[in-house]
Amino acid sequence: MREKIPNRERGFSTFAYSRSTRIRSHPRGVISFVPGLRRWELSTAMLPSPTTRRRFLRQSFCFSAALGLSRVLPPGAWAAEAAGDHFILAIGDFGSDDEKQQAVARGMIRHGEESKRKPDALWLLGDNFYKPMPGGVKSERWQRGFEAMYPAAHFPGPCWAVLGNHDYHDEAGGEKAQLTYAKPTPGTRWTLPAKWYRLDFPSLNPLVTFLCLDSNLPSPSGRDEKLGAPRPSLTAAEVAEQQAWFQAELAKPRAAYTAVVAHHPLFTNGQHGDSKPLIAAWDGLLREHGVQFYFCGHDHDLQHLEFEGHPTSFVISGGGGARARELKKMDRGPFGKAIYGFTELQFNAERFIVRHFDANRALLHTFSKTAAGRMQVG
Ligand SMILES: [Fe+2]
């Protein structure tokens, strides 16, 4: 059954409505109902413009997988392909301390239960705590917003973190509390040993080298107009030290896959736009050293961007809890959607798979990549 919905009811002009699928077409893409959040979400999945269409077709992207027609895999569907693989979940911009953060956390727990496996680790992609958290390492928010929100019973592995802008800005010295919390908290899974650090995973015969960076450079951090002063960020000396460290680590032997992890995107279709300072600092190194992945958050959406001739897949997972924001543009892809959700990384020696899920565990987007850089969507 199809019918026209008046503009005043949904805020859109006119569109077709299918009661059976709960997915609606829309001039700008597809909107679908998210039962857990009791709201309609607009998919800003890629609709290639004429100028970009040929480029994407050359790259053999499967557009249908990116059009927001989500599917929920049946229980056990993962088990057959899981033997010997490693699984990591990733969330960004999750520290909202509200029902949205809880909804995504519940989705992640249910994902583990229904797939009958627990992730090896969690990536926490920054903006780990919004709003003040008085008490620093002793704040009650550690228990409520981390330890209990992502319980060890479901997430027994380490929880690797990077720092976001709100981790610096919302509480004076907030980044220091996050850097030191693990020391007086025996048994915690929280892992943030330094503002920038390297992880080779698994520790025995590593498959992935994660290079974790602090993207809070002075320029992206900007100024606090109320205070009339620069917002807290890395110092100029720290920026230089991190840059030298990053270059040195890239020059060292690395695992088959290299993934850079930070909070801010270099490239994004989201609200914040591309970051010229980060592009200037890091994009050349990503290209030069054939880095396969750049994982980040900051924009409150889920994205996957590819660029012709670029070795790096740019993955944004910023749907962990903070208010989802519509994407600013849709001319790059293959995927982008303003929605709450999380991201799964599955990998072995042969291939590395990235999947975006919404808070109800509906699969939104998948792509895979070999260590040699062969990328396939879907
Ligand atoms: Fe952010």
Side-chain angles (χ1 to χ4, degrees):
M1 177 179 176
R2 301 171 77 85
E3 62 179 309
K4 294 280 182 68
I5 303 298
N7 179 38
R8 64 179 180 275
E9 288 186 21
R10 298 294 177 203
F12 299 114
S13 52
T14 56
F15 47 84
Y17 172 28
S18 167
R19 290 184 189 278
S20 58
T21 60
R22 312 203 90 183
I23 294 174
R24 299 175 180 184
S25 64
H26 181 269
R28 289 195 293 134
V30 175
I31 60 173
S32 57
F33 188 68
V34 184
L37 301 176
R38 302 181 67 78
R39 59 175 284 183
W40 291 87
E41 304 274 10
L42 170 66
S43 166
T44 46
M46 185 195 69
L47 297 175
S49 66
T51 55
T52 58
R53 185 186 304 274
R54 191 173 61 178
R55 183 183 70 190
F56 284 119
L57 286 173
R58 273 209 306 271
Q59 292 175 319
S60 303
F61 290 166
C62 177
F63 295 145
S64 61
L67 282 174
L69 303 177
S70 61
R71 60 197 174 99
V72 176
L73 298 185
W78 305 94
E81 59 178 288
D85 284 9
H86 294 280
F87 291 87
I88 295 174
L89 296 187
I91 45 171
D93 309 82
F94 56 93
S96 50
D97 197 23
D98 61 12
E99 71 279 3
K100 299 295 193 308
Q101 182 182 12
Q102 293 165 4
V104 178
R106 281 196 300 273
M108 296 162 67
I109 290 171
R110 186 167 159 241
H111 182 69
E113 289 174 339
E114 295 192 356
S115 56
K116 295 183 169 42
R117 54 177 169 66
K118 296 174 181 176
D120 295 304
L122 285 185
W123 267 115
L124 307 175
L125 299 173
D127 287 355
N128 309 316
F129 293 95
Y130 290 86
K131 299 173 284 189
M133 46 188 302
V137 296
K138 293 193 163 98
S139 170
E140 62 176 3
R141 293 192 61 193
W142 282 104
Q143 188 63 32
R144 187 172 73 241
F146 170 64
E147 304 284 3
M149 185 72 71
Y150 312 101
H154 297 278
F155 308 102
C159 300
W160 303 317
V162 293
L163 291 166
N165 50 308
H166 285 273
D167 301 315
Y168 273 89
H169 302 162
D170 290 12
E171 172 76 29
E175 79 282 6
K176 296 185 182 70
Q178 295 194 33
L179 285 160
T180 55
Y181 169 72
K183 287 179 187 165
T185 317
T188 186
R189 295 153 293 142
W190 179 267
T191 306
L192 179 58
K195 291 182 177 179
W196 53 90
Y197 59 100
R198 170 173 174 158
L199 282 168
D200 290 286
F201 182 86
S203 53
L204 186 65
N205 300 321
L207 294 169
V208 189
T209 295
F210 291 107
L211 297 176
C212 316
L213 299 176
D214 189 330
S215 55
N216 291 281
L217 274 57
S219 181
S221 298
R223 291 177 64 81
D224 186 322
E225 297 305 329
K226 286 183 184 170
L227 299 176
R231 293 195 183 99
S233 68
L234 293 174
T235 65
E238 286 177 318
V239 171
E241 186 182 344
Q242 174 175 251
Q243 190 73 7
W245 175 88
F246 186 30
Q247 290 176 303
E249 293 302 320
L250 286 170
K252 291 177 183 174
R254 291 173 276 130
Y257 300 98
T258 298
V260 172
V261 183
H263 177 64
H264 296 76
L266 275 65
F267 305 101
T268 172
N269 286 350
Q271 292 281 329
H272 291 99
D274 294 355
S275 171
K276 290 181 181 175
L278 292 178
I279 292 170
W282 296 343
D283 190 51
L285 291 172
L286 299 178
R287 291 175 183 270
E288 178 186 346
H289 294 277
V291 171
Q292 289 99 333
F293 300 98
Y294 183 91
F295 295 107
C296 66
H298 196 45
D299 274 320
H300 302 170
D301 50 48
L302 303 176
Q303 294 185 52
H304 167 209
L305 301 183
E306 296 283 341
F307 300 92
E308 188 171 15
H310 202 307
T312 309
S313 297
F314 294 89
V315 178
I316 297 177
S317 185
R323 185 171 59 86
R325 296 197 197 105
E326 286 302 325
L327 277 73
K328 196 161 65 175
K329 54 185 182 177
M330 297 181 288
D331 60 346
R332 300 180 299 192
F335 180 79
K337 188 170 186 178
I339 195 167
Y340 300 96
F342 60 95
T343 302
E344 180 179 70
L345 319 180
Q346 175 184 352
F347 51 90
N348 58 30
E350 275 71 51
R351 49 99 181 93
F352 194 122
I353 303 172
V354 178
R355 299 183 180 94
H356 283 317
F357 292 90
D358 74 10
N360 295 305
R361 201 187 160 241
L363 179 60
L364 303 171
H365 177 70
T366 304
F367 76 96
S368 63
K369 202 166 192 179
T370 65
R374 182 175 173 77
M375 196 279 296
Q376 184 172 1
V377 173

